[in-house]
């Protein structure tokens, strides 16, 4: 049954168009205010960040339960008319059937896309076995198709983030398999070498590739990644971490020295207030 409304239909169409050519930045807000401000800056789409949201709730990444995450995703979707991609972690389940059921729930939040990763959360075996990982992508694909809501499915390989000994080879192999299993976009957070990025783009072509840019590979630029054939750039929890950095430095100054000099770097109240006042 198709429960897609006109807003979601429009967002999905725009999101799919963005993946067809060129390169776009998909920044990651962690609450309504940051989503609204990113729209104000002219970004064309947004993505949630599991870590950024978890930190705002005083929880570790992966510590937010499914119902709370679905509510948050819906909140970000409702905040702006922009397409939103959901960082849906491992689908909040191990077995393919449960992944499919949860993906259906995520589709109903109004998202234009979602990602499913192969990080099992098990420290002794941090990635799902390859065949199971592929089955999980297939299950997500089938759930999306059955929902009648043609959102963009991103298949993620977490080889770099879990410390695999040869993450590039594993990511290359798995991303090709995820593309064959029905993923619309491929993503291996942690890659930073230009030649490896180019190889991933070539291996899964013509399907688009997302690259994460954060502190570890901040030397990369939009123009450089565009030249490498990358279609989509996200920043994960990096914007959240930048905000936390400013907050922590200012709070430490007050606690340790009793000074408030860090406030000199604050954004003027009127600048933020005026943007949000336009919404009321």
């Amino acid at each position: 049954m198709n429960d897609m409304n006109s807003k979601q239909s429009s967002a999905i169409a725009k999101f799919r168009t963005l993946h067809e050519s060129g390169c776009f930045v998909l920044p990651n807000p962690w609450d309504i205010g940051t989503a609204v401000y990113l729209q104000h800056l002219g970004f064309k789409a947004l993505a949630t960040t599991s870590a950024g949201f978890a930190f705002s709730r005083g929880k570790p990444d992966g510590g937010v339960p499914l119902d709370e995450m679905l509510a948050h995703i819906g909140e970000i979707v409702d905040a702006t008319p922009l397409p939103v991609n959901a960082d849906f972690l491992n689908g909040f389940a191990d077995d393919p059937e449960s992944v499919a059921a949860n993906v259906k729930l995520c589709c109903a939040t109004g998202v234009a896309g979602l990602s499913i990763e192969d990080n099992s959360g098990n420290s002794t075996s941090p990635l799902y076995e390859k065949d199971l990982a592929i089955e999980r992508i297939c299950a997500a694909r089938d759930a999306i198709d059955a929902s009648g809501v043609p959102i963009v499915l991103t298949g993620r390989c977490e080889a770099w983030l879990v410390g695999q000994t040869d993450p590039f080879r594993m990511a290359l192999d798995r991303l090709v398999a995820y593309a064959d299993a029905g993923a619309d976009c491929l993503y291996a957070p942690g890659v930073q070498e230009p030649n490896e990025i180019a190889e991933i783009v070539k291996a899964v072509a013509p399907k688009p590739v997302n690259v994460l840019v954060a502190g570890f590979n901040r030397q990369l630029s939009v123009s450089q990644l565009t030249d490498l054939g990358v279609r989509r750039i996200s920043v994960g929890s990096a914007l959240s971490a930048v905000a936390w950095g400013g907050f922590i430095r200012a709070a430490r100054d007050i606690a340790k020295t009793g000074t408030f000099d860090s406030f000199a770097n604050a954004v003027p109240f009127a600048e933020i207030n005026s943007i949000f006042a336009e919404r009321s």
Side-chain angles (χ1 to χ4, degrees):
M1 183 173 64
N2 190 337
D3 295 322
M4 180 170 50
N5 59 34
S6 60
K7 177 185 175 182
Q8 187 177 21
S9 176
S10 175
I12 291 171
K14 291 176 182 176
F15 202 43
R16 286 193 167 277
T17 298
L18 287 171
H19 287 79
E20 291 174 359
S21 63
C23 182
F24 69 101
V25 178
L26 185 70
N28 303 72
W30 59 93
D31 60 15
I32 292 174
T34 50
V36 170
Y37 194 81
L38 289 168
Q39 179 194 356
H40 168 75
L41 290 178
F43 288 102
K44 297 178 180 179
L46 306 173
T48 65
T49 160
S50 63
F53 175 60
F55 298 160
S56 76
R57 307 291 287 185
K59 299 178 180 180
D61 190 21
V64 174
L66 175 61
D67 58 347
E68 188 176 354
M69 184 62 78
L70 289 170
H72 166 65
I73 292 168
E75 189 175 63
I76 298 299
V77 168
D78 291 341
T80 82
L82 298 180
V84 173
N85 188 83
D87 176 357
F88 208 49
L89 296 166
N90 69 342
F92 293 84
D94 297 320
D95 63 278
E97 294 78 12
S98 297
V99 170
N102 293 339
V103 164
K104 182 179 179 181
L105 295 175
C106 190
C107 290
T109 64
V111 292
L114 65 82
S115 61
I116 295 292
E117 63 189 46
D118 54 12
N119 187 337
S120 68
N122 182 342
S123 60
T124 60
S125 182
L127 295 184
Y128 291 109
E129 186 271 329
K130 183 181 175 182
D131 287 344
L132 175 58
I134 293 170
E135 290 173 12
R136 287 162 41 81
I137 295 295
C138 288
R141 175 80 272 155
D142 290 345
I144 290 169
D145 292 344
S147 75
V149 183
I151 69 172
V152 174
L153 172 61
T154 297
R156 289 177 49 151
C157 178
E158 307 289 291
W160 270 280
L161 298 191
V162 302
Q164 288 291 311
T165 54
D166 190 356
F168 171 63
R169 292 299 166 192
M170 176 171 281
L172 197 67
D173 178 59
R174 289 197 172 207
L175 291 182
V176 170
Y178 298 165
D180 292 341
D184 299 302
C185 181
L186 291 310
Y187 180 19
V191 64
Q192 59 182 308
E193 297 299 328
N195 63 311
E196 293 181 341
I197 294 171
E199 282 295 313
I200 289 172
V201 169
K202 180 180 178 181
V204 303
K207 292 192 174 182
V209 168
N210 183 103
V211 167
L212 170 72
V213 176
F216 69 92
N217 63 350
R218 63 187 181 277
Q219 75 281 359
L220 297 172
S221 66
V222 173
S223 60
Q224 183 181 12
L225 290 169
T226 300
D227 289 343
L228 291 171
V230 173
R231 191 62 46 79
R232 195 173 90 181
I233 302 166
S234 57
V235 299
S237 61
L239 284 173
S240 170
V242 170
W244 273 101
F247 165 77
I248 289 171
R249 284 189 292 272
R252 281 177 175 169
D253 284 349
I254 297 168
K256 293 182 177 181
T257 69
T259 61
F260 304 89
D261 294 342
S262 296
F263 290 0
N265 298 319
V267 176
F269 171 86
E271 179 179 333
I272 301 176
N273 195 60
S274 63
I275 292 169
F276 298 149
E278 295 173 1
R279 304 180 73 238
S280 58

